[in-house]
Each structure stands twice: as structure tokens, then as C-alpha cells.
Amino acid sequence: EVQLVESGGGLVKPGRSLRLSCTASGFTFGDYAMTWFRQAPGKGLEWVGFIRSKAYGGTTEYAASVKGRFTISRDDSKTIAYLQMNSLKTEDTAVYYCTGTYSYSHFDYWGQGTLVTVSS
Amino acid sequence: SYVLTQPPSVSVAPGKTATITCGGNSIGSKSVHWYQQKPGQAPVLVIFYDTDRPSGIPERFSGSNSGNTATLTISRVEAGDEADYYCQLWDSYSDHPVFGGGTKLTVL
């Protein structure tokens, strides 16, 4: 059974940092591009960024809204993807979802999400 | 960046057919995927590559894609189908996924 479990969310003050983790199981983690999305309260889904598999260079791409502040990394030996969030803003408040894509097209597997609240 | 346009809401009576559209420039030349999201839950893939259904998704869910519009059709709508539905594609030009704004399906 495929499982993606996000953790690390919580309440943080503006300007501070937070690191989210996504622990995966049930599929060949190393073959997948791991992607982060977020959903602000009452809003739609927003792509945050992704990290390619090692076979595709392990490189990263980010949405303009987070570029330079957020960093995605992966540890294939532990099957964990990370989202390091720095210089957090109130508008980063959202549920953050971890997903995987093999084909760079659609997303078969989703975590349950973790809530990040940025507030003073 | 590529833009996908969905109606904010669609209402349908139980047992009837719901049609949710997703508009985009020449979207028919791209692969479109659809997700269902119920309150407090993660999205669930219901259609991929325009017309394919993942295992476990009822046959009542179908998709089509042509011209400038992709469509998700839900036949014999049930109360349990009430949810937000999002279309998505991978924008090859910008090399990242794009979502539509979502459509809230209300079962009357």
C-alpha cells in the first residue's frame, strides 16, 4: 500500500523557518519526482515545487511565490522528501501536501497534508 | 504560465449527470487529469490522461478533451460525489504542473 505521510507543520512567526518532511512507502521512491503543493484556507491547490529523481538529475523547480525562500531535498535511502521553508510570510499559511509523480504528468499518490500557520 | 479555467460551481440533482469543464488554450493537444477533493481530505485522482480511470474509481466518472475544453462527466450523481473538482495538466513550456481554480459540485 502506498503511503505518504507529511509532518513538521505547526504555528510559526513571520520571518522564521520550518522544515516539513514527507515519509513515503509502498512504491519505488527513487524513481519518482517528489512534489509539494499547498492549499490556503478556502482556496485552491497551488504548486510549490518539486525535485526530480536522481535519474533526471535530482534538480528542483519552484513556484515564483516561494523561489529563493523554499528548498526541496530528498533522501532516497530513507524515502523522505523535505521542504525547507525560510523567511515565512503570513501568506504561506496553508495545508501542505506531498505527492509523487513518475511520469511528470499526474499525481497518483497524496499525503494527508500538514497545516502550516504563519502568524505573530 | 498556462491558465486553466473552471466554473466556480456546478449544481446537479441526484441521479442526473454533472458536467464540469476546464478551459485552456488548445487544451485538446495536452493531457488533462482530474482530482476530487472532499472537505478536510487530500485530493484523489479520478481521471488521468483525459479519459483513464484509476482502479477503484466508479465507471460513472468519465473524461473527454478536445479543442479548448476538457470535460469531467459524472453520471448518475450521488450525494457522496459532492466535492471540489480540479483539473490539472503538466505545462511542458514552464515544466511544472498547473491546476484549475476548482469547481464545487453541489448535489441538490
Side-chain angles (χ1 to χ4, degrees):
Chain A
E1 179 193 7
V2 172
Q3 278 198 313
L4 290 164
V5 180
E6 301 95 337
S7 59
L11 175 63
V12 61
K13 288 180 167 52
R16 306 297 288 269
S17 299
L18 202 62
R19 188 178 80 160
L20 306 183
S21 299
C22 169
T23 303
S25 61
F27 64 101
T28 309
F29 181 84
D31 289 346
Y32 281 67
M34 297 308 296
T35 307
W36 289 90
F37 289 96
R38 66 184 181 184
Q39 188 170 35
K43 302 297 185 181
L45 296 163
E46 179 189 13
W47 170 69
V48 172
F50 69 87
I51 183 167
R52 297 179 177 85
S53 64
K54 291 289 195 291
Y56 286 86
T59 52
T60 53
E61 304 290 343
Y62 300 96
S65 57
V66 307
K67 197 169 186 178
R69 299 188 299 124
F70 289 12
T71 302
I72 298 173
S73 59
R74 64 189 298 156
D75 185 334
D76 288 357
S77 67
K78 296 181 179 178
T79 66
I80 300 177
Y82 301 99
L83 177 63
Q84 176 68 43
M85 303 185 292
N86 298 332
S87 304
L88 282 162
K89 306 175 181 179
T90 55
E91 52 262 41
D92 294 321
T93 293
V95 174
Y96 284 73
Y97 293 102
C98 165
T99 75
T101 179
Y102 178 80
S103 56
Y104 296 85
S105 61
H106 58 282
F107 301 92
D108 299 279
Y109 314 128
W110 293 73
Q112 84 289 350
T114 187
L115 176 62
V116 173
T117 303
V118 184
S119 174
S120 55
Chain B
S1 187
Y2 194 86
V3 175
L4 293 173
T5 302
Q6 298 183 238
S9 63
V10 168
S11 298
V12 64
K16 300 298 185 182
T17 298
T19 300
I20 300 173
T21 59
C22 176
N25 186 30
S26 299
I27 196 173
S29 66
K30 306 177 187 300
S31 293
V32 176
H33 321 290
W34 292 90
Y35 302 83
Q36 175 194 70
Q37 186 181 32
K38 296 182 178 179
Q41 298 183 19
V44 173
L45 181 70
V46 294
I47 293 289
F48 63 105
Y49 292 133
D50 298 337
T51 59
D52 293 344
R53 273 180 293 104
S55 60
I57 301 301
E59 291 183 10
R60 301 184 297 104
F61 288 80
S62 63
S64 63
N65 186 14
S66 178
N68 292 318
T69 305
T71 303
L72 173 68
T73 302
I74 309 172
S75 305
R76 303 181 300 282
V77 167
E78 303 173 357
D81 297 332
E82 191 163 278
D84 293 326
Y85 291 85
Y86 294 89
C87 59
Q88 176 257 320
L89 56 73
W90 194 283
D91 182 7
S92 56
Y93 181 77
S94 57
D95 195 19
H96 67 73
V98 176
F99 275 91
T103 298
K104 181 176 180 59
L105 176 67
T106 299
V107 181
L108 301 170

